[in-house]
Amino acid sequence: MGCFTFIKVMMVLFNLIIFLGGAALLAVGIWVSVDGGSFLKVIGSISAQAMQFVNVGYFCIAIGAVLVLLGFLGCCGAQKESKCLLIMFFAIIMVIFIAEVAAAVVALVYSSFAESILKAWATPALKSDYGTQSDVTQIWNTTMTELKCCGFINYTDFSGSSYYSSHHSYPPFCCQSNTTTCNLAAAESSTIEGCFNRLLLTLKQNANIVGGIAAGICALEIAAMVVSMVLYCHIDKNGVS
């Protein structure tokens, strides 16, 4: 088996796995969107709580569709030795790679700006929707329970909120003890941090894992682009369209 044939076979197998994985993810996304109740029964209550963070159905559909497209382009492009499909595969991977790098740079360089944007969105949502809209309340309750935090910045995010107006107290997550009413004095004396700081701390504690996963994904994307270009150049050299 020649070098080109080996690369071609590996490209086909790799993208076939991506295609099948994307198809499975797409199927799960459709299942969740169409019949979320039966899906929640399968995955259990703990995972069901985690699903409150994002609309898992649409998220899986979007990611699955992209993976299916990439798998199809890469697999068929290598198998049929199609320059058009290979260059489309390369272009999509390149766009994804550039977007990831740009997002990482923005997150590192403009972290304070990103924080202000998040605060501008999160604080008004807490004040107006927490305690009145069940989906928003569930998301924040799950977040504050898992991260052991209070609000976005701290308990002051709930001052003057709809929740405080109706309960005349802060959420129990904002106080050290959940057995008594979480009034202003108890919230002020509490050492519970805001969820944004807790999230940053969690990311820092798992920086090696997050960095390793990010590096692995980037390495796979670079390898995919290199292999697709090797195949493209070989096909172009031999005059195959």
Side-chain angles (χ1 to χ4, degrees), residues 105-134:
V105 171
V106 170
L108 291 174
V109 177
Y110 299 102
S111 57
S112 59
F113 177 72
E115 179 181 352
S116 63
I117 293 296
L118 288 173
K119 183 179 180 180
W121 164 81
T123 303
L126 276 175
K127 289 185 179 295
S128 61
D129 299 335
Y130 184 82
T132 59
Q133 295 190 17
S134 59

mmCIF file of all heavy atoms in Angstrom, residues 105-134:
data_model
loop_
_atom_site.group_PDB
_atom_site.id
_atom_site.type_symbol
_atom_site.label_atom_id
_atom_site.label_comp_id
_atom_site.label_asym_id
_atom_site.label_seq_id
_atom_site.Cartn_x
_atom_site.Cartn_y
_atom_site.Cartn_z
ATOM 1 N N VAL A 105 -8.775 34.397 21.488
ATOM 2 C CA VAL A 105 -8.056 35.668 21.612
ATOM 3 C C VAL A 105 -8.936 36.727 22.263
ATOM 4 O O VAL A 105 -8.505 37.460 23.165
ATOM 5 C CB VAL A 105 -7.575 36.149 20.227
ATOM 6 C CG1 VAL A 105 -7.035 37.573 20.310
ATOM 7 C CG2 VAL A 105 -6.503 35.211 19.686
ATOM 8 N N VAL A 106 -10.183 36.804 21.815
ATOM 9 C CA VAL A 106 -11.113 37.782 22.392
ATOM 10 C C VAL A 106 -11.333 37.503 23.878
ATOM 11 O O VAL A 106 -11.369 38.422 24.702
ATOM 12 C CB VAL A 106 -12.457 37.757 21.631
ATOM 13 C CG1 VAL A 106 -13.511 38.576 22.373
ATOM 14 C CG2 VAL A 106 -12.276 38.298 20.225
ATOM 15 N N ALA A 107 -11.476 36.217 24.216
ATOM 16 C CA ALA A 107 -11.706 35.850 25.613
ATOM 17 C C ALA A 107 -10.515 36.217 26.492
ATOM 18 O O ALA A 107 -10.681 36.625 27.648
ATOM 19 C CB ALA A 107 -11.996 34.358 25.720
ATOM 20 N N LEU A 108 -9.305 36.089 25.946
ATOM 21 C CA LEU A 108 -8.105 36.392 26.729
ATOM 22 C C LEU A 108 -7.825 37.889 26.802
ATOM 23 O O LEU A 108 -7.513 38.426 27.868
ATOM 24 C CB LEU A 108 -6.896 35.668 26.123
ATOM 25 C CG LEU A 108 -6.879 34.142 26.249
ATOM 26 C CD1 LEU A 108 -5.705 33.558 25.481
ATOM 27 C CD2 LEU A 108 -6.810 33.713 27.710
ATOM 28 N N VAL A 109 -7.938 38.565 25.671
ATOM 29 C CA VAL A 109 -7.567 39.982 25.606
ATOM 30 C C VAL A 109 -8.660 40.879 26.161
ATOM 31 O O VAL A 109 -8.391 41.867 26.849
ATOM 32 C CB VAL A 109 -7.234 40.379 24.153
ATOM 33 C CG1 VAL A 109 -6.915 41.869 24.061
ATOM 34 C CG2 VAL A 109 -6.055 39.554 23.644
ATOM 35 N N TYR A 110 -9.904 40.518 25.860
ATOM 36 C CA TYR A 110 -11.014 41.379 26.261
ATOM 37 C C TYR A 110 -11.878 40.709 27.328
ATOM 38 O O TYR A 110 -13.103 40.764 27.271
ATOM 39 C CB TYR A 110 -11.873 41.722 25.045
ATOM 40 C CG TYR A 110 -11.125 42.467 23.968
ATOM 41 C CD1 TYR A 110 -10.684 41.801 22.826
ATOM 42 C CD2 TYR A 110 -10.852 43.822 24.096
ATOM 43 C CE1 TYR A 110 -9.990 42.478 21.827
ATOM 44 C CE2 TYR A 110 -10.161 44.505 23.106
ATOM 45 C CZ TYR A 110 -9.734 43.831 21.977
ATOM 46 O OH TYR A 110 -9.050 44.496 21.004
ATOM 47 N N SER A 111 -11.232 40.062 28.284
ATOM 48 C CA SER A 111 -11.976 39.349 29.321
ATOM 49 C C SER A 111 -12.844 40.295 30.146
ATOM 50 O O SER A 111 -13.981 39.977 30.494
ATOM 51 C CB SER A 111 -11.014 38.585 30.234
ATOM 52 O OG SER A 111 -10.067 39.471 30.810
ATOM 53 N N SER A 112 -12.309 41.480 30.472
ATOM 54 C CA SER A 112 -13.093 42.442 31.252
ATOM 55 C C SER A 112 -14.281 42.959 30.447
ATOM 56 O O SER A 112 -15.372 43.179 30.987
ATOM 57 C CB SER A 112 -12.210 43.613 31.688
ATOM 58 O OG SER A 112 -11.648 44.269 30.558
ATOM 59 N N PHE A 113 -14.067 43.139 29.139
ATOM 60 C CA PHE A 113 -15.168 43.583 28.280
ATOM 61 C C PHE A 113 -16.243 42.507 28.197
ATOM 62 O O PHE A 113 -17.442 42.798 28.251
ATOM 63 C CB PHE A 113 -14.633 43.905 26.882
ATOM 64 C CG PHE A 113 -15.696 44.294 25.893
ATOM 65 C CD1 PHE A 113 -16.331 45.518 25.971
ATOM 66 C CD2 PHE A 113 -16.060 43.416 24.877
ATOM 67 C CE1 PHE A 113 -17.317 45.871 25.059
ATOM 68 C CE2 PHE A 113 -17.036 43.757 23.961
ATOM 69 C CZ PHE A 113 -17.663 44.993 24.051
ATOM 70 N N ALA A 114 -15.792 41.246 28.074
ATOM 71 C CA ALA A 114 -16.746 40.130 28.030
ATOM 72 C C ALA A 114 -17.532 40.045 29.331
ATOM 73 O O ALA A 114 -18.736 39.773 29.328
ATOM 74 C CB ALA A 114 -16.001 38.825 27.771
ATOM 75 N N GLU A 115 -16.849 40.305 30.448
ATOM 76 C CA GLU A 115 -17.533 40.286 31.744
ATOM 77 C C GLU A 115 -18.610 41.359 31.808
ATOM 78 O O GLU A 115 -19.719 41.121 32.302
ATOM 79 C CB GLU A 115 -16.521 40.496 32.871
ATOM 80 C CG GLU A 115 -17.158 40.510 34.256
ATOM 81 C CD GLU A 115 -16.145 40.752 35.360
ATOM 82 O OE1 GLU A 115 -14.935 40.767 35.060
ATOM 83 O OE2 GLU A 115 -16.569 40.922 36.515
ATOM 84 N N SER A 116 -18.299 42.553 31.306
ATOM 85 C CA SER A 116 -19.285 43.639 31.336
ATOM 86 C C SER A 116 -20.482 43.326 30.448
ATOM 87 O O SER A 116 -21.624 43.656 30.789
ATOM 88 C CB SER A 116 -18.629 44.954 30.900
ATOM 89 O OG SER A 116 -18.183 44.881 29.552
ATOM 90 N N ILE A 117 -20.219 42.673 29.313
ATOM 91 C CA ILE A 117 -21.320 42.293 28.423
ATOM 92 C C ILE A 117 -22.211 41.259 29.102
ATOM 93 O O ILE A 117 -23.447 41.353 29.071
ATOM 94 C CB ILE A 117 -20.776 41.729 27.092
ATOM 95 C CG1 ILE A 117 -20.059 42.833 26.302
ATOM 96 C CG2 ILE A 117 -21.907 41.128 26.261
ATOM 97 C CD1 ILE A 117 -20.953 43.961 25.857
ATOM 98 N N LEU A 118 -21.582 40.266 29.730
ATOM 99 C CA LEU A 118 -22.349 39.238 30.431
ATOM 100 C C LEU A 118 -23.140 39.832 31.589
ATOM 101 O O LEU A 118 -24.296 39.468 31.818
ATOM 102 C CB LEU A 118 -21.407 38.145 30.945
ATOM 103 C CG LEU A 118 -20.811 37.206 29.895
ATOM 104 C CD1 LEU A 118 -19.773 36.296 30.529
ATOM 105 C CD2 LEU A 118 -21.908 36.372 29.243
ATOM 106 N N LYS A 119 -22.509 40.751 32.300
ATOM 107 C CA LYS A 119 -23.190 41.382 33.430
ATOM 108 C C LYS A 119 -24.388 42.192 32.949
ATOM 109 O O LYS A 119 -25.454 42.190 33.583
ATOM 110 C CB LYS A 119 -22.217 42.280 34.196
ATOM 111 C CG LYS A 119 -22.836 42.913 35.437
ATOM 112 C CD LYS A 119 -21.828 43.770 36.180
ATOM 113 C CE LYS A 119 -22.470 44.405 37.417
ATOM 114 N NZ LYS A 119 -21.512 45.258 38.160
ATOM 115 N N ALA A 120 -24.213 42.886 31.829
ATOM 116 C CA ALA A 120 -25.306 43.694 31.283
ATOM 117 C C ALA A 120 -26.490 42.827 30.877
ATOM 118 O O ALA A 120 -27.638 43.289 30.876
ATOM 119 C CB ALA A 120 -24.806 44.500 30.083
ATOM 120 N N TRP A 121 -26.219 41.567 30.536
ATOM 121 C CA TRP A 121 -27.306 40.661 30.171
ATOM 122 C C TRP A 121 -27.855 39.917 31.380
ATOM 123 O O TRP A 121 -29.075 39.790 31.542
ATOM 124 C CB TRP A 121 -26.813 39.642 29.145
ATOM 125 C CG TRP A 121 -27.741 38.469 29.005
ATOM 126 C CD1 TRP A 121 -28.894 38.401 28.280
ATOM 127 C CD2 TRP A 121 -27.616 37.193 29.654
ATOM 128 N NE1 TRP A 121 -29.486 37.174 28.426
ATOM 129 C CE2 TRP A 121 -28.726 36.408 29.258
ATOM 130 C CE3 TRP A 121 -26.671 36.645 30.518
ATOM 131 C CZ2 TRP A 121 -28.910 35.110 29.710
ATOM 132 C CZ3 TRP A 121 -26.854 35.348 30.970
ATOM 133 C CH2 TRP A 121 -27.957 34.595 30.561
ATOM 134 N N ALA A 122 -26.960 39.423 32.234
ATOM 135 C CA ALA A 122 -27.378 38.537 33.319
ATOM 136 C C ALA A 122 -28.121 39.267 34.428
ATOM 137 O O ALA A 122 -29.142 38.780 34.925
ATOM 138 C CB ALA A 122 -26.156 37.816 33.895
ATOM 139 N N THR A 123 -27.624 40.430 34.826
ATOM 140 C CA THR A 123 -28.237 41.135 35.953
ATOM 141 C C THR A 123 -29.680 41.549 35.681
ATOM 142 O O THR A 123 -30.560 41.297 36.513
ATOM 143 C CB THR A 123 -27.385 42.358 36.342
ATOM 144 O OG1 THR A 123 -26.052 41.923 36.657
ATOM 145 C CG2 THR A 123 -27.975 43.058 37.553
ATOM 146 N N PRO A 124 -29.987 42.175 34.541
ATOM 147 C CA PRO A 124 -31.396 42.496 34.270
ATOM 148 C C PRO A 124 -32.284 41.262 34.193
ATOM 149 O O PRO A 124 -33.446 41.296 34.613
ATOM 150 C CB PRO A 124 -31.339 43.219 32.915
ATOM 151 C CG PRO A 124 -29.955 43.764 32.834
ATOM 152 C CD PRO A 124 -29.097 42.742 33.511
ATOM 153 N N ALA A 125 -31.728 40.158 33.658
ATOM 154 C CA ALA A 125 -32.510 38.918 33.576
ATOM 155 C C ALA A 125 -32.838 38.397 34.966
ATOM 156 O O ALA A 125 -33.952 37.921 35.221
ATOM 157 C CB ALA A 125 -31.741 37.867 32.779
ATOM 158 N N LEU A 126 -31.868 38.492 35.869
ATOM 159 C CA LEU A 126 -32.118 38.072 37.248
ATOM 160 C C LEU A 126 -33.190 38.941 37.901
ATOM 161 O O LEU A 126 -34.105 38.436 38.557
ATOM 162 C CB LEU A 126 -30.824 38.159 38.062
ATOM 163 C CG LEU A 126 -29.861 36.976 37.997
ATOM 164 C CD1 LEU A 126 -28.596 37.292 38.768
ATOM 165 C CD2 LEU A 126 -30.508 35.726 38.549
ATOM 166 N N LYS A 127 -33.065 40.220 37.728
ATOM 167 C CA LYS A 127 -33.992 41.143 38.390
ATOM 168 C C LYS A 127 -35.421 40.989 37.891
ATOM 169 O O LYS A 127 -36.376 41.063 38.672
ATOM 170 C CB LYS A 127 -33.523 42.587 38.191
ATOM 171 C CG LYS A 127 -32.267 42.954 38.980
ATOM 172 C CD LYS A 127 -31.934 44.425 38.818
ATOM 173 C CE LYS A 127 -30.697 44.808 39.628
ATOM 174 N NZ LYS A 127 -30.921 44.679 41.081
ATOM 175 N N SER A 128 -35.577 40.771 36.603
ATOM 176 C CA SER A 128 -36.929 40.754 36.038
ATOM 177 C C SER A 128 -37.533 39.358 35.922
ATOM 178 O O SER A 128 -38.747 39.191 36.087
ATOM 179 C CB SER A 128 -36.919 41.411 34.654
ATOM 180 O OG SER A 128 -36.069 40.696 33.771
ATOM 181 N N ASP A 129 -36.698 38.345 35.656
ATOM 182 C CA ASP A 129 -37.232 37.021 35.315
ATOM 183 C C ASP A 129 -37.100 35.980 36.415
ATOM 184 O O ASP A 129 -37.880 35.026 36.450
ATOM 185 C CB ASP A 129 -36.541 36.487 34.051
ATOM 186 C CG ASP A 129 -36.780 37.388 32.852
ATOM 187 O OD1 ASP A 129 -37.798 38.099 32.852
ATOM 188 O OD2 ASP A 129 -35.942 37.388 31.924
ATOM 189 N N TYR A 130 -36.107 36.134 37.306
ATOM 190 C CA TYR A 130 -35.919 35.117 38.344
ATOM 191 C C TYR A 130 -37.108 35.122 39.304
ATOM 192 O O TYR A 130 -37.487 36.159 39.852
ATOM 193 C CB TYR A 130 -34.632 35.365 39.127
ATOM 194 C CG TYR A 130 -34.349 34.287 40.158
ATOM 195 C CD1 TYR A 130 -33.740 33.101 39.785
ATOM 196 C CD2 TYR A 130 -34.714 34.452 41.486
ATOM 197 C CE1 TYR A 130 -33.491 32.105 40.713
ATOM 198 C CE2 TYR A 130 -34.473 33.464 42.423
ATOM 199 C CZ TYR A 130 -33.859 32.289 42.031
ATOM 200 O OH TYR A 130 -33.625 31.302 42.957
ATOM 201 N N GLY A 131 -37.704 33.970 39.477
ATOM 202 C CA GLY A 131 -38.862 33.839 40.352
ATOM 203 C C GLY A 131 -40.183 34.035 39.643
ATOM 204 O O GLY A 131 -41.241 33.713 40.197
ATOM 205 N N THR A 132 -40.138 34.543 38.411
ATOM 206 C CA THR A 132 -41.374 34.753 37.651
ATOM 207 C C THR A 132 -41.452 33.847 36.423
ATOM 208 O O THR A 132 -42.542 33.454 36.019
ATOM 209 C CB THR A 132 -41.492 36.222 37.192
ATOM 210 O OG1 THR A 132 -40.356 36.561 36.382
ATOM 211 C CG2 THR A 132 -41.541 37.155 38.403
ATOM 212 N N GLN A 133 -40.313 33.540 35.831
ATOM 213 C CA GLN A 133 -40.277 32.631 34.689
ATOM 214 C C GLN A 133 -39.602 31.331 35.117
ATOM 215 O O GLN A 133 -38.454 31.341 35.569
ATOM 216 C CB GLN A 133 -39.528 33.259 33.514
ATOM 217 C CG GLN A 133 -40.222 34.486 32.936
ATOM 218 C CD GLN A 133 -39.597 34.936 31.627
ATOM 219 O OE1 GLN A 133 -38.871 34.188 30.983
ATOM 220 N NE2 GLN A 133 -39.891 36.171 31.241
ATOM 221 N N SER A 134 -40.318 30.239 34.953
ATOM 222 C CA SER A 134 -39.850 28.955 35.483
ATOM 223 C C SER A 134 -38.550 28.489 34.842
ATOM 224 O O SER A 134 -37.683 27.935 35.524
ATOM 225 C CB SER A 134 -40.931 27.885 35.293
ATOM 226 O OG SER A 134 -41.257 27.741 33.916
#
